[in-house]
Amino acid sequence: MTKAIQKITLSPSRDIPFNKLVLSQSNVRRVKAGVSIEQLAESIAQRTLLQSLNVRAVVNAEGNETGMFEVPAGGRRYRALELLVKQKRMAKTQAVPCVVREGGIAEDDSLAENDERVGLHPLDQFRAFQTLSGAGMSEEDIAARHFVTPAVVKQRLRLAAVSPKLHDVYAEDGMTLEQVMAFSVTADQTRQEQVWENVSRSGYDEPYQIRRLLTENSVGASDRRVQYVGLDAYEHAGGGVLRDLFEHDDGGWLQDVVLLDRLVTEKLKVEAETIAAEGWKWISVAVDFPYGHTNGLRELDGKPADLTVDEQAAIDALNAEQAKLESEYQDTDELPDEVDQRFGEIEVALAAFEYRPETYDLAGIARAGVFVSIDSEGRLCVDRGYVRPEDDKAPAAALDVEPGGDSSPTEGQEAGASAPRTAISVAGATSEPEEDDEDPARPLPDRLIIELTAHRTLALRDALAENPAIAFQAVLHNFVLTAFYRFASSGSCLEIGLRTPTFPAQAPGLRESVSAKAVEARHEAWKARLPKCENDLWDALTALDGGAQASLFAHCASFAVNAVYEPANRYNQGRVSAHGVRMRLDQANVLARAAGLDMLQAGWRPTVDNYLGRVTKLRILEAVREAKGESSAQLIDHLKKADMAKEAERLLDGSSWLPEPLRLVDSSPSSVEPEGEAGPLPEFLADAEDPENGSDEHPQQLDAAE
């Protein structure tokens, strides 16, 4: 026989005057946590009591009710009501909704009420804040009513604006809160969904990877262009900025890169117009100039502008203050913050006087020009006083100036002067057309090989300059080739005569590379030691000891290094032969091995810009496979090329992998016979010379086409 289900009976509820309630010692909550009593009291004042108290009747020794009720569950609410009574915001006889319990254990009721309470899912809170905002409440009002800061409200509203599809994934524990925070960096829900589709399949779904993908087409506010123009100017011009409310973002990311570049160019042109008033023949404007842009130009000798009486007085005052501070704190282990800051301010002020503008001869100004750009910190960089070879040939009479006169760089031509207007040019960037990258047999692009070997040439110059003995031997080797082996000297990588070769293509990051900075620093150090007049050079070199002469010899010899791959074409076929390029690169390998060249130590790393974004997907996978193994290659083989290149850059970071044109060849170089041929070609050279590749660099094909 089926047993009847016993129906439950709920505890009755009644309104009890507050002064008839007392706290119970049966409440299990002992530790204060969560919302404070004061905040709860304010919430009750705003909304009244939203949850009844759980009470039991107080009985005397005989078991009779006394008319008082104790509160074993709801003690914090009782304390909040008590505070409102003390503040005279509520009458002590105010009726309080209560659930009256009988039977059972009071501590069990108190424990159950707290244990069975379930907090809101974060997503519910985000959406609730969004609903309140949609109802017309300001962020400040929401913050005040829910006892959080306006910044927290902004964060919650930003999270609520993430794609609903991603909200659903989060609600089902398919992603973490940190990942949702990362997606909130952009309001583009379509882009959010695209990125999630990619990262969820690839496994590269860390919050920092998500942020990187969402901001890949923007420019960080720390970029030197932004520092130069100013974020306020960019926003005033209508540019949008992505901000991350959950991570330090260095000012955010600028979305309109075209607008930013236009603002930079316009500001630089304004600066150039001001500088043009000084009378220069030409001014070249660019955000950045390529490495070696001043090669072949004669630099004018300028002299610092004379100090005014006020400037000299300011320098004396700064020096006196610095000396006084040094004397006062010479025995102090650690300087106070304000004193340390003042030392820094004094050094900056003195440096400004030291690097004051230079003055130049008027005749020199009429021949010379100026490079206007911005430095790595986003500051205006003005490099004055460079004369082009063709301007050096111009007769002095054609310049319409008095030779021998001096002019401050801020002084321009007088009104009515007939000097020609300064020619201002703005450098532009060129881009390569996209090519089909799915042909596995297609060789590395010529331009890429040129850029890679340009990096290697610069690094090899630096390595050679650091090895004087090898530099001497390299020159001797060149002389022997010239004397004993017919045509061999034309294939040497050391172009004796100190004709510094230029790079046909500027590789990304070449100017900022470790090698470039080392070569430039060494050159400037020697320039400071040598006499200005060339007639005094022989005596100055004689005064150097053997070690100094050897170091200077190595430095000068290093400028002749040319290890750049240069494909033969219709324009240079009389100067460049395939045989000569092969021999040049063979000799570069010999020199690199002897000098101990290591392109990793020279600072080269595979990136999207300098290699991975320039080659086929198969070559990207081959690079990852060689460096990290087949399992790593399989992680990215399904990605589109752009995403694959970015992930490959991350995987190859810290590895020792190098593309073939940058590797140190282990095999012996091609032996050079008096009338012989060079040995087998590296893969990238063999590809470039293979007629089956359909290269347009074969004179026969070009002639036929003509």
Side-chain angles (χ1 to χ4, degrees), residues 493-534:
C493 73
L494 197 62
E495 300 185 2
I496 296 300
L498 295 183
R499 182 182 65 84
T500 303
T502 58
F503 301 137
Q506 285 292 328
L510 188 65
R511 188 182 184 189
E512 293 81 19
S513 66
V514 174
S515 306
K517 292 178 180 178
V519 171
E520 183 177 3
R522 187 184 302 109
H523 189 74
E524 291 300 318
W526 274 114
K527 184 177 179 181
R529 292 184 63 179
L530 296 175
K532 288 189 174 295
C533 180
E534 59 191 39

Side-chain angles (χ1 to χ4, degrees), residues 16 43 78 184 217 226 247 327 396 470 588 603 633 667 685:
I16 301 173
S43 178
Y78 175 86
S184 72
N217 295 323
V226 184
E247 295 282 341
S327 176
I470 301 301
S667 59
L685 276 182

Side-chain angles (χ1 to χ4, degrees), residues 464-465 467-476 494 550 553-555 557-558 591:
L464 188 65
N467 291 269
I470 301 301
F472 273 111
Q473 185 172 328
V475 175
L476 178 60
L494 197 62
F553 177 87
H555 174 67
S558 72
L591 192 57

Side-chain angles (χ1 to χ4, degrees), residues 38 41-46 81 83-91 94:
E38 291 77 8
E42 289 300 322
S43 178
I44 294 173
Q46 292 176 5
L81 294 170
L83 178 60
L84 291 173
V85 171
K86 289 181 179 179
Q87 294 174 344
K88 300 187 183 302
R89 300 168 71 184
M90 187 181 86
Q94 171 67 48

Side-chain angles (χ1 to χ4, degrees), residues 288-317:
D288 189 21
F289 289 101
Y291 176 79
H293 67 285
T294 60
N295 287 348
L297 305 182
R298 178 171 64 86
E299 187 174 359
L300 296 180
D301 290 328
K303 61 180 182 179
D306 294 333
L307 292 170
T308 65
V309 175
D310 291 341
E311 288 174 335
Q312 186 60 57
I315 292 174
D316 293 341

